[in-house]
Amino acid sequence: MRALLVVNPAATTTSARRRDVLIHALASEVKLEAVTTQYRGHARDLARQAAESDDIDLVVALGGDGTVNEVVNGLLHGGPDLDRLPGLAVVPGGSTNVFARALGLPNDPVEATGDLLDALREKRERVVGLGLTAGTPGTEDEAVPARWFTFNAGLGFDAGVVGRVEQQRERGKKSTHALYVRQVVRQFLGEQHRRHGTITLERPGADPVTDLVVAIICNTSPWTYLGNRPMYTSPKASFDKGVDVLGLTRLSTAAAARYGTQLLTSSPERGPHGRHAVSLHDLDQFTLHSKVPLPLQMDGDHLGLRTSVTFTGVRRALRVIV
């Protein structure tokens, strides 16, 4: 088997020495080419080249969720093709590693590499569904290119938090869970539309859902982690189904305290709920429209402001070695 290892040198939980050990371990099982990314989008470009080649069987992403997202978008730039495209494997190297952990992989890169080697020897793989976004035809965002996400996306409040975290990281701050908590508080205090939402969700064959302050889209469960604590916004979300949505129509101080507490105590059986919470399960396609431009995030990557985004749950999109 020929494999391409895409290495993010800025991965927060792996040192250069540790990466060398992981590379040598993988090279003992496959014919390995390791490439270190040099710029944002490089992982996507490398994966696209692998998808277009005839001799790469597997692409391994060594990094965090951002690296994985780039690799997936490179592999699927021409659309899913389970018979032709290389498979994906993940060695978690970021601060949270939601996608890898949702697949059941250890959060430690050394242990995850051991699991990957076992999976290669035993030829274990899983076909997963993914989420796909695109600018909505007939709107000012219609030219926005399509983009895949692996575990979650969000329009509104949570994407604003992601944007604030990215700003802090650009200023040299480390990506810690404490940093995220601080930015949640700052985003809440600065949120202009927390009492009167601007988002409308439209889907075929159903009445629109209006006045959402935030829409959180999940392709799997949990939504994310706070340290080792999983947090569930859509507990029934699954790689084997369409995408789920949690929408909130109010984020007053009382509502934010209630839903924040529910999120911190959420479980695989129950997520945030209540009069101002809307939960939708296993959707194939829907569109979010906003009266004002709002921040959009996918897999923890801030993608700027949008007024209209169409989401599609694509089943059986990619082979993953697990």
XYZ file of all heavy atoms in Angstrom, residues 93-164:
524
model
N -3.467 15.393 16.271
C -2.351 16.193 16.774
C -2.772 17.574 17.212
O -1.928 18.405 17.532
N -4.084 17.844 17.232
C -4.576 19.161 17.617
C -4.961 19.220 19.082
O -4.716 18.294 19.856
N -5.609 20.311 19.446
C -5.982 20.513 20.841
C -7.293 19.822 21.202
O -7.529 19.503 22.364
C -6.090 22.010 21.143
O -7.053 22.620 20.288
N -8.161 19.549 20.196
C -9.471 18.968 20.497
C -9.717 17.670 19.742
O -10.181 16.695 20.317
C -10.591 19.979 20.160
O -10.294 21.237 20.771
C -11.921 19.486 20.692
N -9.449 17.623 18.447
C -9.518 16.385 17.659
C -10.908 15.735 17.697
O -11.055 14.549 17.972
C -8.463 15.379 18.158
C -7.071 15.963 18.224
O -6.564 16.492 17.226
N -6.451 15.927 19.384
N -11.919 16.536 17.381
C -13.293 16.043 17.475
C -13.538 14.896 16.499
O -14.121 13.862 16.857
C -14.298 17.181 17.229
C -15.733 16.651 17.308
C -14.098 18.306 18.227
N -13.119 15.053 15.250
C -13.399 14.036 14.240
C -12.773 12.704 14.621
O -13.432 11.649 14.579
C -12.874 14.495 12.882
C -13.125 13.528 11.753
C -14.415 13.251 11.330
C -12.073 12.895 11.113
C -14.658 12.354 10.288
C -12.296 12.004 10.068
C -13.599 11.733 9.665
N -11.504 12.720 15.018
C -10.820 11.478 15.380
C -11.492 10.820 16.578
O -11.718 9.595 16.593
C -9.355 11.767 15.694
N -11.847 11.601 17.574
C -12.455 11.034 18.780
C -13.869 10.516 18.487
O -14.299 9.506 19.056
C -12.460 12.074 19.890
C -11.055 12.412 20.353
C -10.989 13.724 21.107
N -11.239 13.577 22.525
C -11.129 14.579 23.396
N -10.764 15.791 22.974
N -11.383 14.388 24.671
N -14.581 11.197 17.592
C -15.914 10.717 17.218
C -15.837 9.377 16.494
O -16.784 8.584 16.542
C -16.623 11.757 16.345
N -14.714 9.118 15.835
C -14.511 7.822 15.182
C -14.098 6.740 16.167
O -13.969 5.571 15.795
C -13.436 7.949 14.101
C -13.823 8.700 12.827
C -12.589 8.990 11.990
C -14.854 7.917 12.023
N -13.861 7.136 17.420
C -13.454 6.174 18.432
C -11.963 6.028 18.587
O -11.491 5.121 19.288
N -11.176 6.930 17.980
C -9.727 6.853 18.086
C -9.256 7.456 19.406
O -9.874 8.380 19.935
C -9.067 7.617 16.935
C -9.289 7.057 15.539
C -8.730 8.014 14.494
C -8.628 5.691 15.396
N -8.147 6.965 19.947
C -7.562 7.587 21.136
C -7.134 9.023 20.823
O -6.762 9.332 19.681
C -6.350 6.714 21.449
C -6.567 5.436 20.707
C -7.374 5.795 19.496
N -7.160 9.877 21.842
C -6.769 11.267 21.627
C -5.253 11.438 21.623
O -4.745 12.474 21.207
C -7.388 12.158 22.711
C -7.429 13.618 22.311
O -7.588 13.943 21.135
N -7.256 14.500 23.278
N -4.540 10.425 22.081
C -3.078 10.469 22.084
C -2.559 10.008 20.725
O -2.948 8.939 20.230
C -2.528 9.555 23.176
C -1.018 9.551 23.196
O -0.434 10.479 23.771
O -0.420 8.613 22.607
N -1.674 10.798 20.080
C -1.229 10.441 18.728
C -0.458 9.126 18.661
O -0.546 8.410 17.656
C -0.359 11.628 18.300
C -0.017 12.344 19.565
C -1.141 12.113 20.504
N 0.281 8.779 19.709
C 1.029 7.519 19.697
C 0.064 6.342 19.762
O 0.172 5.372 18.998
C 2.035 7.472 20.864
C 2.718 6.101 20.922
C 3.084 8.575 20.707
N -0.905 6.417 20.679
C -1.891 5.337 20.778
C -2.733 5.250 19.506
O -3.066 4.152 19.047
C -2.788 5.576 21.991
C -2.078 5.435 23.325
C -3.035 5.598 24.489
O -4.251 5.592 24.257
O -2.549 5.722 25.626
N -3.074 6.416 18.934
C -3.862 6.417 17.704
C -3.079 5.793 16.555
O -3.654 5.100 15.702
C -4.288 7.844 17.359
N -1.769 6.022 16.518
C -0.941 5.400 15.484
C -0.928 3.888 15.643
O -1.012 3.138 14.658
C 0.494 5.949 15.543
O 0.474 7.363 15.332
C 1.372 5.300 14.488
N -0.861 3.422 16.890
C -0.938 1.981 17.132
C -2.247 1.398 16.645
O -2.274 0.326 16.020
N -3.344 2.107 16.903
C -4.648 1.649 16.406
C -4.688 1.629 14.886
O -5.265 0.724 14.278
C -5.758 2.562 16.938
C -6.200 2.162 18.338
O -5.455 1.408 19.001
O -7.281 2.612 18.766
N -4.085 2.649 14.267
C -4.071 2.716 12.808
C -3.279 1.554 12.222
O -3.704 0.933 11.226
C -3.474 4.056 12.354
C -3.221 4.221 10.854
C -4.499 3.995 10.051
C -2.634 5.605 10.553
N -2.147 1.230 12.822
C -1.350 0.105 12.331
C -2.142 -1.200 12.435
O -2.111 -2.032 11.517
C -0.042 0.005 13.124
C 0.936 1.176 12.936
C 2.124 1.024 13.869
C 1.400 1.273 11.492
N -2.863 -1.375 13.541
C -3.704 -2.563 13.678
C -4.794 -2.589 12.605
O -5.087 -3.638 12.023
C -4.359 -2.597 15.063
C -3.360 -2.899 16.173
O -2.279 -3.427 15.868
O -3.675 -2.593 17.342
N -5.402 -1.423 12.357
C -6.476 -1.348 11.359
C -5.945 -1.685 9.963
O -6.625 -2.349 9.171
C -7.105 0.044 11.365
N -4.734 -1.228 9.653
C -4.143 -1.536 8.352
C -3.873 -3.033 8.219
O -4.142 -3.633 7.171
C -2.855 -0.735 8.163
C -3.017 0.771 7.966
C -1.667 1.473 8.027
C -3.701 1.065 6.638
N -3.354 -3.631 9.275
C -3.065 -5.070 9.223
C -4.345 -5.880 9.084
O -4.385 -6.900 8.382
C -2.311 -5.490 10.487
C -0.934 -4.844 10.644
C -0.215 -5.374 11.866
N 0.989 -4.590 12.152
C 1.133 -3.812 13.214
N 0.160 -3.721 14.112
N 2.238 -3.126 13.396
N -5.397 -5.427 9.766
C -6.664 -6.168 9.764
C -7.623 -5.697 8.673
O -8.743 -6.197 8.572
C -7.319 -6.026 11.139
C -6.488 -6.612 12.264
C -6.996 -6.211 13.646
O -8.135 -5.694 13.734
O -6.256 -6.416 14.629
N -7.185 -4.692 7.884
C -7.978 -4.147 6.787
C -9.354 -3.653 7.271
O -10.382 -3.929 6.652
C -8.140 -5.181 5.664
C -6.808 -5.583 5.046
C -6.988 -6.563 3.904
C -5.636 -6.928 3.294
N -5.766 -7.884 2.176
N -9.326 -2.914 8.383
C -10.558 -2.358 8.935
C -10.813 -0.975 8.349
O -9.907 -0.145 8.316
C -10.490 -2.223 10.465
C -10.329 -3.524 11.216
C -10.685 -3.325 12.691
N -10.065 -2.152 13.274
C -8.965 -2.170 14.035
N -8.356 -3.326 14.288
N -8.491 -1.065 14.538
N -12.019 -0.741 7.902
C -12.379 0.577 7.417
C -13.865 0.822 7.639
O -14.642 -0.112 7.877
C -12.040 0.750 5.933
C -12.818 -0.139 5.000
C -12.462 0.116 3.541
O -11.310 0.452 3.260
O -13.368 -0.014 2.683
N -14.228 2.086 7.578
C -15.621 2.497 7.767
C -15.949 3.551 6.720
O -15.107 4.420 6.415
C -15.799 3.080 9.170
C -17.196 3.610 9.448
C -17.294 4.192 10.847
N -18.627 4.721 11.107
C -18.980 5.333 12.230
N -18.105 5.480 13.208
N -20.207 5.786 12.367
N -17.153 3.485 6.179
C -17.620 4.509 5.247
C -18.485 5.493 6.026
O -19.438 5.098 6.701
C -18.416 3.892 4.087
C -18.959 4.987 3.178
C -17.536 2.936 3.297
N -18.134 6.777 5.953
C -18.848 7.794 6.732
C -19.524 8.802 5.817
O -19.082 9.044 4.686
C -17.897 8.539 7.694
C -17.246 7.568 8.662
C -16.834 9.323 6.921
N -20.596 9.375 6.316
C -21.230 10.504 5.654
C -20.592 11.806 6.105
O -19.995 11.882 7.187
N -20.733 12.837 5.292
C -20.151 14.141 5.591
C -21.171 15.239 5.297
O -22.193 15.010 4.646
C -18.892 14.377 4.749
C -17.732 13.403 4.954
C -16.651 13.651 3.907
C -17.147 13.532 6.358
N -20.885 16.428 5.769
C -21.707 17.587 5.453
C -21.074 18.398 4.342
O -19.854 18.455 4.204
N -21.904 19.018 3.525
C -21.439 19.838 2.409
C -22.195 21.157 2.432
O -23.418 21.181 2.591
C -21.690 19.118 1.087
C -21.288 19.842 -0.205
C -19.777 20.017 -0.275
C -21.791 19.078 -1.429
N -21.469 22.268 2.289
C -22.105 23.579 2.214
C -21.804 24.237 0.880
O -20.804 23.936 0.229
C -21.611 24.526 3.330
O -20.237 24.870 3.083
C -21.744 23.877 4.696
N -22.673 25.146 0.492
C -22.474 25.920 -0.737
C -23.283 27.201 -0.635
O -24.260 27.282 0.126
C -22.901 25.122 -1.968
N -22.865 28.210 -1.391
C -23.665 29.417 -1.491
C -25.006 29.106 -2.142
O -25.092 28.300 -3.065
N -26.059 29.730 -1.652
C -27.407 29.437 -2.146
C -27.669 30.137 -3.475
O -27.469 31.347 -3.588
C -28.445 29.898 -1.113
O -28.137 29.307 0.147
C -29.851 29.500 -1.535
N -28.116 29.407 -4.508
C -28.424 30.036 -5.799
C -29.453 31.157 -5.647
O -30.407 31.046 -4.868
C -28.988 28.868 -6.629
C -28.406 27.640 -6.005
C -28.299 27.950 -4.540
N -29.233 32.227 -6.390
C -30.158 33.343 -6.353
C -29.929 34.315 -5.213
O -30.706 35.255 -5.037
N -28.859 34.115 -4.436
C -28.532 35.033 -3.346
C -27.165 35.656 -3.607
O -26.432 35.242 -4.504
C -28.500 34.314 -1.986
O -27.335 33.456 -1.935
C -29.749 33.470 -1.790
N -26.806 36.633 -2.799
C -25.508 37.300 -2.973
C -24.338 36.375 -2.643
O -23.188 36.677 -2.984
C -25.429 38.550 -2.099
C -25.539 38.297 -0.613
C -25.558 39.584 0.188
O -26.513 40.373 0.035
O -24.606 39.806 0.947
N -24.618 35.241 -2.001
C -23.564 34.283 -1.677
C -23.505 33.109 -2.645
O -22.804 32.124 -2.378
C -23.778 33.742 -0.259
C -23.485 34.769 0.821
O -22.634 35.638 0.583
O -24.127 34.714 1.882
N -24.224 33.184 -3.767
C -24.309 32.026 -4.661
C -22.954 31.642 -5.250
O -22.748 30.487 -5.634
C -25.309 32.286 -5.777
C -24.927 33.379 -6.745
C -25.975 33.534 -7.850
O -26.796 32.620 -8.028
O -25.965 34.582 -8.526
N -22.011 32.568 -5.312
C -20.699 32.266 -5.888
C -19.741 31.627 -4.879
O -18.636 31.214 -5.252
C -20.071 33.532 -6.465
N -20.140 31.540 -3.612
C -19.272 30.930 -2.606
C -19.095 29.450 -2.936
O -20.074 28.729 -3.106
C -19.873 31.096 -1.192
C -19.018 30.354 -0.170
C -19.972 32.567 -0.835
N -17.859 28.977 -3.057
C -17.648 27.584 -3.476
C -18.101 26.594 -2.414
O -18.170 26.896 -1.220
C -16.133 27.510 -3.692
C -15.572 28.611 -2.863
C -16.588 29.705 -2.873
N -18.398 25.384 -2.872
C -18.801 24.313 -1.967
C -17.628 23.919 -1.073
O -16.463 24.016 -1.456
C -19.284 23.110 -2.769
N -17.980 23.489 0.131
C -16.949 23.044 1.074
C -17.521 21.955 1.976
O -18.653 22.037 2.428
C -16.444 24.223 1.916
C -15.409 23.823 2.956
C -14.589 24.993 3.396
N -13.711 24.651 4.520
C -12.643 25.358 4.860
N -12.334 26.444 4.174
N -11.903 25.009 5.893
N -16.696 20.926 2.228
C -17.101 19.802 3.071
C -16.761 20.085 4.524
O -15.785 20.773 4.821
C -16.371 18.535 2.634
C -16.703 18.087 1.247
C -16.077 18.474 0.079
C -17.728 17.169 0.858
N -16.655 17.857 -0.990
C -17.675 17.052 -0.552
C -18.687 16.435 1.565
C -18.535 16.235 -1.258
C -19.551 15.619 0.859
C -19.468 15.513 -0.526
N -17.567 19.511 5.430
C -17.180 19.507 6.836
C -17.390 18.105 7.392
O -18.244 17.352 6.928
C -17.936 20.561 7.659
C -19.435 20.399 7.730
C -20.036 19.726 8.783
C -20.254 20.955 6.750
C -21.410 19.596 8.855
C -21.634 20.837 6.814
C -22.219 20.152 7.871
N -16.595 17.765 8.402
C -16.575 16.389 8.889
C -17.433 16.186 10.131
O -18.039 15.124 10.299
C -15.144 15.931 9.206
O -14.613 16.731 10.273
C -14.246 16.063 7.985
N -17.473 17.190 11.036
C -18.220 16.942 12.271
C -19.199 18.041 12.643
O -20.267 17.764 13.171
C -17.273 16.650 13.445
C -16.321 17.777 13.774
C -16.653 18.759 14.699
C -15.071 17.835 13.188
C -15.766 19.771 15.015
C -14.175 18.842 13.496
C -14.533 19.826 14.408
N -18.903 19.319 12.404
C -19.911 20.336 12.708
C -19.696 21.604 11.906
O -18.631 21.844 11.326
C -20.006 20.623 14.220
C -18.909 21.526 14.757
O -18.457 22.449 14.109
N -18.488 21.276 15.992
N -20.746 22.410 11.887
C -20.713 23.746 11.286
C -21.650 24.616 12.107
O -22.457 24.122 12.903
C -21.153 23.708 9.815
N -21.550 25.915 11.927
C -22.430 26.799 12.679
C -22.536 28.163 12.026
O -21.564 28.662 11.446
N -23.715 28.741 12.122
C -23.947 30.097 11.636
C -24.449 30.924 12.812
O -25.427 30.562 13.459
C -24.982 30.107 10.513
C -25.254 31.474 9.856
C -24.034 31.939 9.050
C -26.489 31.414 8.948
N -23.752 32.024 13.080
C -24.176 32.886 14.169
C -23.233 32.819 15.352
O -22.008 32.892 15.198
N -23.792 32.633 16.538
C -23.055 32.807 17.788
C -21.801 31.955 17.872
O -20.708 32.450 18.166
C -23.977 32.506 18.974
C -23.321 32.699 20.316
C -23.288 33.956 20.902
C -22.735 31.629 20.979
C -22.681 34.137 22.140
C -22.120 31.809 22.209
C -22.102 33.066 22.793
N -21.924 30.631 17.647
C -20.756 29.770 17.845
C -19.655 30.089 16.843
O -18.461 30.010 17.161
C -21.151 28.294 17.792
C -21.360 27.775 16.390
O -22.090 28.443 15.639
O -20.804 26.715 16.047
N -20.036 30.481 15.629
C -19.026 30.866 14.634
C -18.327 32.152 15.046
O -17.131 32.336 14.773
C -19.683 31.039 13.269
N -19.061 33.060 15.718
C -18.427 34.267 16.242
C -17.373 33.937 17.276
O -16.306 34.560 17.323
N -17.645 32.925 18.116
C -16.660 32.483 19.106
C -15.408 31.948 18.407
O -14.273 32.278 18.775
C -17.264 31.407 20.025
C -16.193 30.831 20.954
C -18.416 31.982 20.834
N -15.613 31.117 17.383
C -14.481 30.563 16.629
C -13.635 31.683 16.034
O -12.402 31.652 16.082
C -14.982 29.617 15.521
C -13.851 29.240 14.573
C -15.597 28.369 16.137
N -14.295 32.715 15.475
C -13.566 33.841 14.907
C -12.747 34.574 15.949
O -11.588 34.970 15.687
N -13.295 34.751 17.128
C -12.553 35.418 18.202
C -11.336 34.598 18.641
O -10.261 35.143 18.893
C -13.477 35.657 19.400
C -14.510 36.756 19.181
C -15.444 36.876 20.379
N -16.413 37.941 20.203
C -16.213 39.206 20.579
N -15.068 39.548 21.150
N -17.154 40.125 20.382
